[in-house]
Short mmCIF file of all heavy atoms in Angstrom, two decimals:
data_model
loop_
_atom_site.label_atom_id
_atom_site.label_comp_id
_atom_site.label_asym_id
_atom_site.label_seq_id
_atom_site.Cartn_x
_atom_site.Cartn_y
_atom_site.Cartn_z
N GLY A 274 -44.11 30.91 0.08
CA GLY A 274 -44.46 29.73 0.72
C GLY A 274 -43.61 28.60 0.38
O GLY A 274 -43.07 27.67 1.22
N THR A 275 -43.42 28.39 -0.93
CA THR A 275 -42.58 27.20 -1.37
C THR A 275 -41.15 27.34 -0.92
O THR A 275 -40.47 26.42 -0.40
CB THR A 275 -42.55 27.25 -2.90
OG1 THR A 275 -43.90 27.03 -3.29
CG2 THR A 275 -41.74 26.03 -3.46
N ILE A 276 -40.56 28.58 -0.90
CA ILE A 276 -39.20 28.90 -0.41
C ILE A 276 -39.09 28.48 1.14
O ILE A 276 -38.16 27.69 1.54
CB ILE A 276 -38.68 30.19 -0.64
CG1 ILE A 276 -38.33 30.42 -2.01
CG2 ILE A 276 -37.57 30.66 0.22
CD1 ILE A 276 -37.45 31.64 -2.37
N TYR A 277 -40.10 28.89 1.78
CA TYR A 277 -40.09 28.54 3.28
C TYR A 277 -40.41 27.12 3.63
O TYR A 277 -40.05 26.73 4.66
CB TYR A 277 -40.99 29.62 3.94
CG TYR A 277 -40.44 30.96 4.06
CD1 TYR A 277 -41.08 32.02 3.47
CD2 TYR A 277 -39.19 31.29 4.65
CE1 TYR A 277 -40.54 33.43 3.50
CE2 TYR A 277 -38.67 32.44 4.82
CZ TYR A 277 -39.41 33.54 4.13
OH TYR A 277 -38.77 34.93 4.34
N ASN A 278 -40.94 26.45 2.77
CA ASN A 278 -41.11 24.96 2.78
C ASN A 278 -39.72 24.31 2.95
O ASN A 278 -39.53 23.40 3.57
CB ASN A 278 -41.98 24.34 1.81
CG ASN A 278 -43.30 24.59 1.97
OD1 ASN A 278 -43.82 24.79 3.06
ND2 ASN A 278 -44.15 24.48 0.84
N TYR A 279 -38.77 24.83 2.07
CA TYR A 279 -37.40 24.28 2.10
C TYR A 279 -36.47 24.98 3.04
O TYR A 279 -35.59 24.17 3.56
CB TYR A 279 -36.95 24.39 0.50
CG TYR A 279 -37.63 23.63 -0.44
CD1 TYR A 279 -38.55 24.02 -1.35
CD2 TYR A 279 -37.46 22.16 -0.52
CE1 TYR A 279 -39.09 23.33 -2.24
CE2 TYR A 279 -38.07 21.46 -1.50
CZ TYR A 279 -38.93 21.95 -2.23
OH TYR A 279 -39.65 21.20 -3.22
N PHE A 280 -36.66 26.15 3.17
CA PHE A 280 -35.68 26.94 3.89
C PHE A 280 -36.42 27.90 4.88
O PHE A 280 -36.95 28.87 4.40
CB PHE A 280 -34.68 27.79 2.99
CG PHE A 280 -34.20 26.99 2.02
CD1 PHE A 280 -34.61 27.01 0.60
CD2 PHE A 280 -32.98 26.19 2.25
CE1 PHE A 280 -34.13 26.24 -0.37
CE2 PHE A 280 -32.41 25.48 1.22
CZ PHE A 280 -33.02 25.37 -0.10
N PRO A 281 -36.33 27.76 6.20
CA PRO A 281 -37.13 28.51 7.10
C PRO A 281 -36.67 30.05 7.22
O PRO A 281 -37.42 30.83 7.51
CB PRO A 281 -36.87 27.81 8.50
CG PRO A 281 -35.83 26.85 8.34
CD PRO A 281 -35.64 26.59 6.92
N ASN A 282 -35.38 30.22 6.71
CA ASN A 282 -34.87 31.59 6.68
C ASN A 282 -33.75 31.73 5.65
O ASN A 282 -33.14 30.69 5.25
CB ASN A 282 -34.54 32.14 8.03
CG ASN A 282 -33.47 31.26 8.68
OD1 ASN A 282 -32.39 30.99 8.13
ND2 ASN A 282 -33.84 30.99 9.96
N LYS A 283 -33.21 32.87 5.52
CA LYS A 283 -32.18 33.08 4.52
C LYS A 283 -30.89 32.51 5.01
O LYS A 283 -30.06 31.97 4.20
CB LYS A 283 -31.79 34.59 4.20
CG LYS A 283 -30.98 34.88 3.12
CD LYS A 283 -31.07 36.30 2.59
CE LYS A 283 -30.30 37.28 3.29
NZ LYS A 283 -30.28 38.65 2.71
N GLU A 284 -30.66 32.52 6.35
CA GLU A 284 -29.39 32.00 6.86
C GLU A 284 -29.31 30.41 6.64
O GLU A 284 -28.19 29.99 6.22
CB GLU A 284 -29.27 32.19 8.25
CG GLU A 284 -29.00 33.62 8.75
CD GLU A 284 -30.22 34.57 8.57
OE1 GLU A 284 -31.38 34.12 8.55
OE2 GLU A 284 -29.89 35.80 8.51
N VAL A 285 -30.41 29.70 6.69
CA VAL A 285 -30.39 28.29 6.39
C VAL A 285 -30.19 28.16 4.96
O VAL A 285 -29.29 27.24 4.56
CB VAL A 285 -31.74 27.72 6.79
CG1 VAL A 285 -31.89 26.29 6.33
CG2 VAL A 285 -31.92 27.72 8.39
N LEU A 286 -30.70 28.93 4.04
CA LEU A 286 -30.51 28.78 2.61
C LEU A 286 -28.92 29.11 2.24
O LEU A 286 -28.40 28.32 1.60
CB LEU A 286 -31.33 29.83 1.99
CG LEU A 286 -31.05 30.06 0.40
CD1 LEU A 286 -31.54 28.75 -0.34
CD2 LEU A 286 -31.93 31.18 -0.07
N ILE A 287 -28.41 30.04 2.83
CA ILE A 287 -26.97 30.38 2.55
C ILE A 287 -26.08 29.31 3.10
O ILE A 287 -25.24 28.81 2.46
CB ILE A 287 -26.63 31.74 3.31
CG1 ILE A 287 -27.37 32.94 2.51
CG2 ILE A 287 -25.18 31.91 3.39
CD1 ILE A 287 -27.21 34.24 3.11
N ASN A 288 -26.42 28.72 4.32
CA ASN A 288 -25.60 27.58 4.75
C ASN A 288 -25.61 26.43 3.88
O ASN A 288 -24.62 25.67 3.72
CB ASN A 288 -26.04 27.36 6.25
CG ASN A 288 -25.32 28.12 7.19
OD1 ASN A 288 -24.26 27.83 7.71
ND2 ASN A 288 -25.92 29.34 7.56
N GLU A 289 -26.88 26.20 3.33
CA GLU A 289 -26.97 24.97 2.39
C GLU A 289 -26.18 25.25 1.19
O GLU A 289 -25.55 24.38 0.57
CB GLU A 289 -28.43 24.84 2.13
CG GLU A 289 -28.64 23.45 1.31
CD GLU A 289 -29.89 22.64 1.59
OE1 GLU A 289 -30.42 22.93 2.63
OE2 GLU A 289 -30.20 21.90 0.67
N ILE A 290 -26.21 26.46 0.57
CA ILE A 290 -25.37 26.68 -0.54
C ILE A 290 -23.81 26.58 -0.29
O ILE A 290 -23.11 25.88 -1.03
CB ILE A 290 -25.60 28.14 -1.14
CG1 ILE A 290 -26.99 28.30 -1.60
CG2 ILE A 290 -24.65 28.56 -2.20
CD1 ILE A 290 -27.42 29.72 -1.82
N TYR A 291 -23.43 27.07 0.92
CA TYR A 291 -22.08 26.81 1.38
C TYR A 291 -21.57 25.39 1.49
O TYR A 291 -20.63 25.00 0.92
CB TYR A 291 -21.93 27.50 2.73
CG TYR A 291 -20.51 27.57 3.33
CD1 TYR A 291 -19.59 28.57 3.13
CD2 TYR A 291 -20.20 26.45 4.12
CE1 TYR A 291 -18.33 28.52 3.69
CE2 TYR A 291 -18.90 26.40 4.70
CZ TYR A 291 -17.95 27.41 4.51
OH TYR A 291 -16.78 27.33 5.05
N ALA A 292 -22.50 24.71 2.18
CA ALA A 292 -22.28 23.18 2.34
C ALA A 292 -22.18 22.55 0.99
O ALA A 292 -21.46 21.59 0.69
CB ALA A 292 -23.21 22.60 3.26
N GLY A 293 -23.05 22.95 0.02
CA GLY A 293 -23.08 22.23 -1.26
C GLY A 293 -21.89 22.47 -2.04
O GLY A 293 -21.25 21.70 -2.84
N ILE A 294 -21.39 23.79 -1.93
CA ILE A 294 -20.26 24.15 -2.73
C ILE A 294 -19.04 23.37 -2.11
O ILE A 294 -18.20 22.73 -2.83
CB ILE A 294 -19.75 25.66 -2.67
CG1 ILE A 294 -20.89 26.41 -3.40
CG2 ILE A 294 -18.40 25.98 -3.00
CD1 ILE A 294 -20.90 27.93 -3.31
N LYS A 295 -18.98 23.17 -0.76
CA LYS A 295 -17.86 22.44 -0.15
C LYS A 295 -17.85 21.05 -0.51
O LYS A 295 -16.86 20.36 -0.70
CB LYS A 295 -17.89 22.54 1.39
CG LYS A 295 -17.43 24.07 1.97
CD LYS A 295 -16.15 24.14 1.54
CE LYS A 295 -15.39 25.16 2.44
NZ LYS A 295 -13.96 25.41 1.98
N GLU A 296 -19.04 20.42 -0.66
CA GLU A 296 -19.21 19.05 -1.11
C GLU A 296 -18.68 18.82 -2.50
O GLU A 296 -17.91 17.95 -2.73
CB GLU A 296 -20.64 18.59 -1.10
CG GLU A 296 -21.16 18.37 0.38
CD GLU A 296 -22.68 17.96 0.41
OE1 GLU A 296 -23.21 17.53 -0.70
OE2 GLU A 296 -23.31 18.14 1.49
N LYS A 297 -19.03 19.79 -3.45
CA LYS A 297 -18.55 19.72 -4.80
C LYS A 297 -16.98 19.98 -4.75
O LYS A 297 -16.22 19.28 -5.57
CB LYS A 297 -19.26 20.87 -5.64
CG LYS A 297 -20.68 20.49 -5.93
CD LYS A 297 -21.32 21.63 -6.74
CE LYS A 297 -22.75 21.28 -7.07
NZ LYS A 297 -23.64 21.92 -6.25
N GLU A 298 -16.54 20.84 -3.98
CA GLU A 298 -15.06 21.19 -3.96
C GLU A 298 -14.35 19.83 -3.43
O GLU A 298 -13.30 19.57 -3.99
CB GLU A 298 -14.89 22.32 -2.87
CG GLU A 298 -13.56 22.75 -2.67
CD GLU A 298 -13.45 23.79 -1.57
OE1 GLU A 298 -14.38 24.57 -1.38
OE2 GLU A 298 -12.42 23.76 -0.94
N ASN A 299 -14.96 19.10 -2.53
CA ASN A 299 -14.30 17.95 -2.02
C ASN A 299 -14.19 16.96 -3.07
O ASN A 299 -13.17 16.02 -3.01
CB ASN A 299 -14.99 17.43 -0.82
CG ASN A 299 -14.19 16.42 -0.02
OD1 ASN A 299 -13.08 16.58 0.09
ND2 ASN A 299 -14.97 15.59 0.78
N THR A 300 -15.07 16.80 -4.03
CA THR A 300 -14.98 15.77 -4.99
C THR A 300 -13.94 15.93 -6.12
O THR A 300 -13.51 14.97 -6.83
CB THR A 300 -16.41 15.62 -5.74
OG1 THR A 300 -16.77 16.76 -6.45
CG2 THR A 300 -17.44 15.30 -4.76
N ILE A 301 -13.47 17.15 -6.21
CA ILE A 301 -12.51 17.48 -7.31
C ILE A 301 -11.06 17.19 -6.90
O ILE A 301 -10.17 17.16 -7.67
CB ILE A 301 -12.67 18.84 -7.92
CG1 ILE A 301 -12.52 19.94 -6.85
CG2 ILE A 301 -13.97 19.02 -8.52
CD1 ILE A 301 -11.09 20.51 -6.81
N PHE A 302 -10.81 17.17 -5.60
CA PHE A 302 -9.48 17.03 -5.13
C PHE A 302 -8.90 15.65 -5.32
O PHE A 302 -9.59 14.65 -5.03
CB PHE A 302 -9.36 17.44 -3.56
CG PHE A 302 -9.62 18.78 -3.35
CD1 PHE A 302 -10.42 19.19 -2.36
CD2 PHE A 302 -9.15 19.79 -4.16
CE1 PHE A 302 -10.72 20.51 -2.02
CE2 PHE A 302 -9.38 21.15 -3.88
CZ PHE A 302 -10.13 21.64 -2.77
N PRO A 303 -7.75 15.47 -5.88
CA PRO A 303 -7.18 14.36 -6.06
C PRO A 303 -6.81 13.61 -4.70
O PRO A 303 -6.54 14.19 -3.78
CB PRO A 303 -5.80 14.68 -6.78
CG PRO A 303 -5.50 16.00 -6.37
CD PRO A 303 -6.80 16.71 -6.05
N GLU A 304 -7.01 12.20 -4.92
CA GLU A 304 -6.50 11.41 -3.70
C GLU A 304 -5.08 11.64 -3.48
O GLU A 304 -4.38 11.70 -4.48
CB GLU A 304 -6.80 10.02 -3.96
CG GLU A 304 -8.27 9.60 -4.01
CD GLU A 304 -8.92 9.80 -2.64
OE1 GLU A 304 -8.38 9.42 -1.61
OE2 GLU A 304 -10.09 10.25 -2.72
N PHE A 305 -4.74 11.81 -2.15
CA PHE A 305 -3.24 11.89 -1.94
C PHE A 305 -2.53 10.59 -2.04
O PHE A 305 -2.99 9.63 -1.47
CB PHE A 305 -3.07 12.46 -0.52
CG PHE A 305 -3.41 13.90 -0.44
CD1 PHE A 305 -4.46 14.47 0.19
CD2 PHE A 305 -2.53 14.92 -1.04
CE1 PHE A 305 -4.74 15.77 0.28
CE2 PHE A 305 -2.81 16.24 -0.96
CZ PHE A 305 -3.94 16.64 -0.29
N ASP A 306 -1.65 10.39 -2.84
CA ASP A 306 -0.85 9.26 -2.94
C ASP A 306 0.36 9.39 -2.15
O ASP A 306 1.28 10.05 -2.52
CB ASP A 306 -0.50 9.02 -4.47
CG ASP A 306 0.33 7.66 -4.65
OD1 ASP A 306 0.77 7.09 -3.71
OD2 ASP A 306 0.68 7.51 -5.90
N THR A 307 0.25 8.81 -0.93
CA THR A 307 1.33 8.87 0.09
C THR A 307 2.65 8.43 -0.42
O THR A 307 3.62 8.79 0.12
CB THR A 307 1.00 8.39 1.38
OG1 THR A 307 0.66 6.97 1.14
CG2 THR A 307 -0.30 9.03 1.97
N ALA A 308 2.67 7.73 -1.42
CA ALA A 308 3.95 7.22 -2.04
C ALA A 308 4.72 8.32 -2.74
O ALA A 308 5.90 8.20 -3.09
CB ALA A 308 3.79 6.02 -2.95
N ARG A 309 3.89 9.34 -3.33
CA ARG A 309 4.50 10.47 -3.97
C ARG A 309 5.19 11.46 -3.05
O ARG A 309 4.66 11.54 -1.91
CB ARG A 309 3.40 11.08 -4.81
CG ARG A 309 2.78 10.04 -5.78
CD ARG A 309 2.10 10.67 -6.87
NE ARG A 309 3.13 11.02 -7.88
CZ ARG A 309 2.80 11.48 -9.09
NH1 ARG A 309 1.71 11.52 -9.48
NH2 ARG A 309 3.88 11.67 -9.92
N PRO A 310 6.10 12.24 -3.58
CA PRO A 310 6.60 13.26 -2.68
C PRO A 310 5.57 14.34 -2.16
O PRO A 310 4.64 14.54 -2.88
CB PRO A 310 7.67 13.95 -3.61
CG PRO A 310 7.97 13.04 -4.68
CD PRO A 310 6.73 12.20 -4.89
N ILE A 311 5.76 14.75 -0.95
CA ILE A 311 4.96 15.72 -0.40
C ILE A 311 4.67 16.87 -1.22
O ILE A 311 3.58 17.54 -1.48
CB ILE A 311 5.31 16.06 1.13
CG1 ILE A 311 5.11 14.94 1.95
CG2 ILE A 311 4.74 17.40 1.54
CD1 ILE A 311 5.61 14.99 3.33
N LYS A 312 5.75 17.39 -1.82
CA LYS A 312 5.66 18.58 -2.76
C LYS A 312 4.70 18.31 -3.99
O LYS A 312 3.87 19.04 -4.23
CB LYS A 312 7.11 18.96 -3.38
CG LYS A 312 7.07 20.09 -4.30
CD LYS A 312 8.39 20.31 -4.83
CE LYS A 312 8.31 21.49 -5.82
NZ LYS A 312 9.47 21.62 -6.77
N THR A 313 4.83 17.11 -4.54
CA THR A 313 3.94 16.73 -5.66
C THR A 313 2.41 16.61 -5.24
O THR A 313 1.54 17.09 -5.89
CB THR A 313 4.41 15.42 -6.11
OG1 THR A 313 5.74 15.50 -6.63
CG2 THR A 313 3.49 14.98 -7.31
N GLN A 314 2.19 16.02 -3.98
CA GLN A 314 0.82 15.91 -3.44
C GLN A 314 0.36 17.43 -3.20
O GLN A 314 -0.82 17.73 -3.67
CB GLN A 314 0.86 15.26 -2.15
CG GLN A 314 1.22 13.84 -2.26
CD GLN A 314 1.35 13.09 -0.81
OE1 GLN A 314 0.31 13.06 -0.19
NE2 GLN A 314 2.51 12.65 -0.61
N PHE A 315 1.13 18.18 -2.63
CA PHE A 315 0.73 19.61 -2.47
C PHE A 315 0.41 20.35 -3.73
O PHE A 315 -0.64 20.99 -3.87
CB PHE A 315 1.78 20.44 -1.67
CG PHE A 315 1.41 21.87 -1.53
CD1 PHE A 315 0.51 22.33 -0.62
CD2 PHE A 315 1.91 22.82 -2.34
CE1 PHE A 315 0.06 23.70 -0.49
CE2 PHE A 315 1.54 24.24 -2.28
CZ PHE A 315 0.69 24.56 -1.36
N GLU A 316 1.25 20.19 -4.66
CA GLU A 316 1.00 20.85 -5.97
C GLU A 316 -0.30 20.42 -6.71
O GLU A 316 -1.02 21.21 -7.18
CB GLU A 316 2.19 20.57 -6.98
CG GLU A 316 3.50 21.23 -6.49
CD GLU A 316 4.68 20.81 -7.29
OE1 GLU A 316 4.70 19.67 -7.90
OE2 GLU A 316 5.77 21.49 -7.41
N ARG A 317 -0.56 19.09 -6.56
CA ARG A 317 -1.77 18.55 -7.20
C ARG A 317 -2.97 19.19 -6.44
O ARG A 317 -3.99 19.56 -7.05
CB ARG A 317 -1.79 17.05 -7.20
CG ARG A 317 -0.77 16.41 -8.07
CD ARG A 317 -0.89 14.94 -8.14
NE ARG A 317 -2.27 14.62 -8.84
CZ ARG A 317 -2.96 13.57 -8.41
NH1 ARG A 317 -2.56 12.79 -7.57
NH2 ARG A 317 -4.11 13.42 -9.06
N TYR A 318 -2.90 19.25 -5.10
CA TYR A 318 -4.03 19.81 -4.35
C TYR A 318 -4.28 21.18 -4.71
O TYR A 318 -5.36 21.67 -5.03
CB TYR A 318 -3.76 19.57 -2.83
CG TYR A 318 -4.68 20.52 -1.98
CD1 TYR A 318 -5.95 20.09 -1.78
CD2 TYR A 318 -4.21 21.68 -1.46
CE1 TYR A 318 -6.77 20.92 -0.99
CE2 TYR A 318 -5.06 22.46 -0.72
CZ TYR A 318 -6.35 22.19 -0.49
OH TYR A 318 -7.08 22.91 0.25
N TYR A 319 -3.24 21.94 -4.68
CA TYR A 319 -3.34 23.44 -4.78
C TYR A 319 -3.87 23.72 -6.22
O TYR A 319 -4.78 24.54 -6.42
CB TYR A 319 -1.95 24.16 -4.60
CG TYR A 319 -2.09 25.70 -4.59
CD1 TYR A 319 -2.18 26.21 -3.26
CD2 TYR A 319 -2.08 26.43 -5.62
CE1 TYR A 319 -2.13 27.64 -3.14
CE2 TYR A 319 -2.06 27.88 -5.57
CZ TYR A 319 -2.17 28.43 -4.24
OH TYR A 319 -2.25 29.69 -4.23
N THR A 320 -3.37 23.14 -7.27
CA THR A 320 -3.73 23.25 -8.70
C THR A 320 -5.23 22.90 -8.76
O THR A 320 -5.99 23.63 -9.45
CB THR A 320 -2.85 22.55 -9.60
OG1 THR A 320 -1.48 22.91 -9.37
CG2 THR A 320 -3.24 22.73 -11.00
N ALA A 321 -5.69 21.78 -8.22
CA ALA A 321 -7.01 21.40 -8.34
C ALA A 321 -7.96 22.43 -7.62
O ALA A 321 -9.01 22.59 -8.22
CB ALA A 321 -7.15 20.05 -7.69
N MET A 322 -7.58 22.88 -6.53
CA MET A 322 -8.47 23.82 -5.89
C MET A 322 -8.54 25.18 -6.72
O MET A 322 -9.66 25.70 -6.86
CB MET A 322 -7.81 24.24 -4.42
CG MET A 322 -8.61 25.22 -3.69
SD MET A 322 -8.23 25.49 -1.97
CE MET A 322 -6.53 25.19 -1.90
N VAL A 323 -7.44 25.64 -7.21
CA VAL A 323 -7.65 26.95 -8.01
C VAL A 323 -8.36 26.66 -9.35
O VAL A 323 -9.17 27.53 -9.65
CB VAL A 323 -6.10 27.46 -8.41
CG1 VAL A 323 -6.08 28.40 -9.38
CG2 VAL A 323 -5.33 28.03 -7.09
N GLU A 324 -8.13 25.55 -9.90
CA GLU A 324 -8.77 25.32 -11.14
C GLU A 324 -10.26 25.16 -10.97
O GLU A 324 -11.10 25.49 -11.72
CB GLU A 324 -8.15 24.06 -11.89
CG GLU A 324 -6.97 24.26 -12.48
CD GLU A 324 -6.14 23.14 -13.07
OE1 GLU A 324 -6.69 22.06 -12.85
OE2 GLU A 324 -5.14 23.34 -13.73
N PHE A 325 -10.69 24.54 -9.81
CA PHE A 325 -12.19 24.36 -9.46
C PHE A 325 -12.81 25.82 -9.38
O PHE A 325 -13.85 25.94 -9.84
CB PHE A 325 -12.28 23.63 -8.19
CG PHE A 325 -13.64 23.62 -7.68
CD1 PHE A 325 -14.51 22.74 -8.16
CD2 PHE A 325 -14.04 24.39 -6.61
CE1 PHE A 325 -15.88 22.72 -7.65
CE2 PHE A 325 -15.38 24.33 -6.09
CZ PHE A 325 -16.20 23.49 -6.58
N PHE A 326 -12.17 26.67 -8.66
CA PHE A 326 -12.80 28.02 -8.48
C PHE A 326 -12.59 28.85 -9.74
O PHE A 326 -13.33 29.86 -9.87
CB PHE A 326 -12.28 28.72 -7.29
CG PHE A 326 -12.91 28.12 -6.04
CD1 PHE A 326 -12.05 27.44 -5.18
CD2 PHE A 326 -14.21 28.30 -5.85
CE1 PHE A 326 -12.56 26.87 -3.88
CE2 PHE A 326 -14.83 27.81 -4.61
CZ PHE A 326 -14.05 27.16 -3.74
N ILE A 327 -11.66 28.60 -10.57
CA ILE A 327 -11.64 29.23 -11.93
C ILE A 327 -12.87 28.80 -12.72
O ILE A 327 -13.47 29.57 -13.37
CB ILE A 327 -10.23 29.02 -12.62
CG1 ILE A 327 -9.14 29.77 -12.07
CG2 ILE A 327 -10.38 29.39 -14.11
CD1 ILE A 327 -7.77 29.54 -12.51
N GLU A 328 -12.99 27.60 -12.77
CA GLU A 328 -14.06 27.07 -13.58
C GLU A 328 -15.50 27.28 -13.01
O GLU A 328 -16.51 27.23 -13.59
CB GLU A 328 -13.93 25.46 -13.79
CG GLU A 328 -12.73 25.06 -14.53
CD GLU A 328 -12.40 23.63 -14.47
OE1 GLU A 328 -13.21 22.77 -13.93
OE2 GLU A 328 -11.26 23.25 -14.94
N ASN A 329 -15.55 27.58 -11.63
CA ASN A 329 -16.66 27.88 -10.98
C ASN A 329 -16.63 29.27 -10.39
O ASN A 329 -16.71 29.30 -9.05
CB ASN A 329 -17.06 26.77 -9.93
CG ASN A 329 -17.20 25.40 -10.52
OD1 ASN A 329 -18.28 25.11 -11.05
ND2 ASN A 329 -16.22 24.53 -10.56
N ALA A 330 -16.56 30.31 -11.05
CA ALA A 330 -16.37 31.55 -10.72
C ALA A 330 -17.53 32.04 -9.66
O ALA A 330 -17.28 32.68 -8.77
CB ALA A 330 -16.26 32.54 -11.89
N GLU A 331 -18.71 31.70 -9.99
CA GLU A 331 -19.84 32.01 -9.08
C GLU A 331 -19.65 31.41 -7.65
O GLU A 331 -19.86 32.08 -6.64
CB GLU A 331 -21.13 31.46 -9.65
CG GLU A 331 -22.25 32.26 -9.33
CD GLU A 331 -23.59 31.80 -10.12
OE1 GLU A 331 -23.82 30.56 -10.29
OE2 GLU A 331 -24.17 32.65 -10.69
N PHE A 332 -19.12 30.22 -7.59
CA PHE A 332 -18.84 29.59 -6.28
C PHE A 332 -17.80 30.35 -5.55
O PHE A 332 -17.88 30.63 -4.41
CB PHE A 332 -18.27 28.19 -6.46
CG PHE A 332 -19.29 27.10 -6.88
CD1 PHE A 332 -18.80 25.86 -7.37
CD2 PHE A 332 -20.63 27.46 -7.05
CE1 PHE A 332 -19.79 24.97 -7.62
CE2 PHE A 332 -21.54 26.47 -7.40
CZ PHE A 332 -21.17 25.31 -7.80
N PHE A 333 -16.73 30.84 -6.27
CA PHE A 333 -15.74 31.69 -5.65
C PHE A 333 -16.20 32.98 -5.15
O PHE A 333 -16.00 33.38 -4.05
CB PHE A 333 -14.50 31.93 -6.60
CG PHE A 333 -13.54 32.89 -6.10
CD1 PHE A 333 -12.70 32.68 -5.14
CD2 PHE A 333 -13.64 34.21 -6.72
CE1 PHE A 333 -11.85 33.67 -4.63
CE2 PHE A 333 -12.81 35.24 -6.22
CZ PHE A 333 -11.91 34.89 -5.22
N LYS A 334 -16.93 33.60 -5.94
CA LYS A 334 -17.45 34.98 -5.56
C LYS A 334 -18.53 34.77 -4.34
O LYS A 334 -18.51 35.71 -3.44
CB LYS A 334 -18.33 35.56 -6.83
CG LYS A 334 -17.36 36.02 -7.78
CD LYS A 334 -17.94 36.50 -9.05
CE LYS A 334 -16.91 36.91 -10.17
NZ LYS A 334 -17.52 37.21 -11.28
#
Side-chain angles (χ1 to χ4, degrees):
T275 302
I276 282 194
Y277 286 119
N278 282 336
Y279 292 107
F280 309 101
N282 57 51
K283 189 163 85 170
E284 288 75 20
V285 171
L286 174 64
I287 289 170
N288 275 271
E289 186 146 341
I290 293 170
Y291 179 94
I294 291 171
K295 286 300 203 176
E296 285 175 24
K297 288 177 178 101
E298 184 182 324
N299 199 28
T300 64
I301 59 97
F302 293 133
E304 290 293 319
F305 285 110
D306 179 357
T307 55
R309 303 198 81 168
I311 287 176
K312 178 183 179 195
T313 302
Q314 293 175 62
F315 174 79
E316 289 169 339
R317 289 190 66 217
Y318 164 79
Y319 193 96
T320 302
M322 183 169 32
V323 167
E324 287 175 351
F325 173 77
F326 283 113
I327 285 173
E328 293 167 13
N329 298 282
E331 207 169 52
F332 291 171
F333 167 70
K334 290 173 184 173

